[in-house]
Amino acid sequence: MRPISSLVKDHIRNLKPCVHGGEVLDAAYKSGVRRENLLDFSSSVNPLGTSVKALAAAEAAFNQVAAYPDSTSSELREVIAKHYSVRKENIVVGNGSTELIYLFTEIFLSKEDKVVMAAPTFGEYEGAVRKTGANICFIKSGEDQKLDVNTFIEAMKDAKMVFICNPNNPTSLLTPIEDLTRILDTALEHSVLVFLDEDFLEFVENEQSFSMISHIEKYPNLFILRSFTKLFGLTGLRVGYGIACQEIIDVLMCTKIPWNVNCLAQAAAVIALKDEEHLQRTRQLICEEKAYLQKGLSNIEGFRVFAPDANFFFIDIRKTGYTAAELTQKLLQQGIMIRDCSSFKGLDAYYIRIAVRLHQENVRLLQELGKVL
Ligand SMILES: Cc1ncc(COP(=O)(O)O)c(C=O)c1O
């Protein structure tokens, strides 16, 4: 028998898993701090958790687990379509939005294709593209961490696909609508597919004015990603969705794995989207706590805090004298998890990401940072 590694496709053999925040069990294991004593600021999800109504819907769906779930997530697609005033045929649902990143690249990319994305940005785009063997052109963001739009536009003219994360993970920065429009118009002219990740847009005030969902008919090359993981807090149930013109959605619906979203997740997501009260409470909390943390974090000597558009802070800590890894370790010993961003392409060892949490938790974070620094 030949070694298994020699049987793996060349471009896949050396792939490594992407690093993520939110690895609470692993952090507990490595630090010796009990899991229930850890406060997780490394994963940017709803600090209020899941809507109680959505949880009740998941519970009620337990009596359906003996049957296959609806493979086309029909009811959920209808509810999402109504929510955004589009058609059900414009929606595909995935096992988390991550499934759709991988499905989209698998469908459209071949080995010789070029893909353009910013650096830094969410790491799974790179992982998904590498799996297809296509080539990636990274456009490094400037010192202000904003997307270098002119260089991006030049690079994308002979590309097959571009990725844009809006607001971007890990920088928490929005791309201005004029820049997005320029990118989309160039993409249309040069037949480039645009994968626009709006997973964190729901945390942005006046979300509609930044979203491209109402433009899917104008841009048949546009695929918009959304998730129930972040604002809706269905993180462990795994539900995300894509919105695009019917031609794109038809291909995804035909090529996704069957029964990709379980019955509990579908039932919970249908109700979560309608639970306006929970969403309003969340938005209010994030707004207040962002202001509180902005003040507290900016007062810390050596912190350069980038003004956040989403529900998390991106901070350059080089002037503290600590690396991100050192500060992460020190805080972990105090039961606080933050995201060391050194695994993001385009960043050095001095950036951290911190999610907005409940008030008392944010108070504790500032106290612990005060002690450590
Ligand atoms: C920008 C962005 N997009 C997509 C995802 C994937 O989210 P999920 O698969 O949980 O929907 C994440 C997760 O961290 C993310 O940060």
Side-chain angles (χ1 to χ4, degrees), residues 20 95-99 101 122 125 165 167 169 197 199-200 225-230 235 238-240:
H20 292 292
N95 191 280
S97 61
T98 303
E99 184 194 10
I101 300 174
F122 182 51
Y125 310 148
C165 187
N169 177 8
D197 185 338
D199 271 13
F200 284 108
L225 192 71
R226 290 273 178 147
S227 180
F228 281 94
T229 289
K230 315 291 181 191
T235 318
R238 314 300 303 129
V239 209

Side-chain angles (χ1 to χ4, degrees), residues 302-315:
F303 268 23
R304 178 184 175 200
V305 181
F306 291 81
D309 288 315
N311 60 326
F312 53 90
F313 285 82
F314 182 62
I315 307 168

Side-chain angles (χ1 to χ4, degrees), residues 167-186:
N168 193 24
N169 177 8
T171 61
S172 200
L173 298 177
L174 275 169
T175 300
I177 203 89
E178 313 81 66
D179 290 343
L180 262 188
T181 308
R182 273 176 67 205
I183 291 171
L184 280 165
D185 288 340
T186 310

Side-chain angles (χ1 to χ4, degrees), residues 28 31-38:
S31 66
V33 180
R34 293 170 70 92
R35 183 187 175 171
E36 54 275 24
N37 294 335
L38 281 173

Side-chain angles (χ1 to χ4, degrees), residues 20 92-105 122 124-125 128 163 165 169 195-200 202 223-231 234-243 252 260-261 265:
H20 292 292
V92 59
V93 180
N95 191 280
S97 61
T98 303
E99 184 194 10
L100 301 175
I101 300 174
Y102 279 79
L103 182 60
F104 195 83
T105 50
F122 182 51
E124 292 295 348
Y125 310 148
F163 280 87
C165 187
N169 177 8
F195 191 102
L196 177 60
D197 185 338
E198 294 188 350
D199 271 13
F200 284 108
E202 282 148 343
F223 182 84
I224 297 173
L225 192 71
R226 290 273 178 147
S227 180
F228 281 94
T229 289
K230 315 291 181 191
L231 179 70
L234 299 186
T235 318
L237 279 178
R238 314 300 303 129
V239 209
Y241 53 100
I243 308 180
L252 272 89
N260 56 331
V261 185

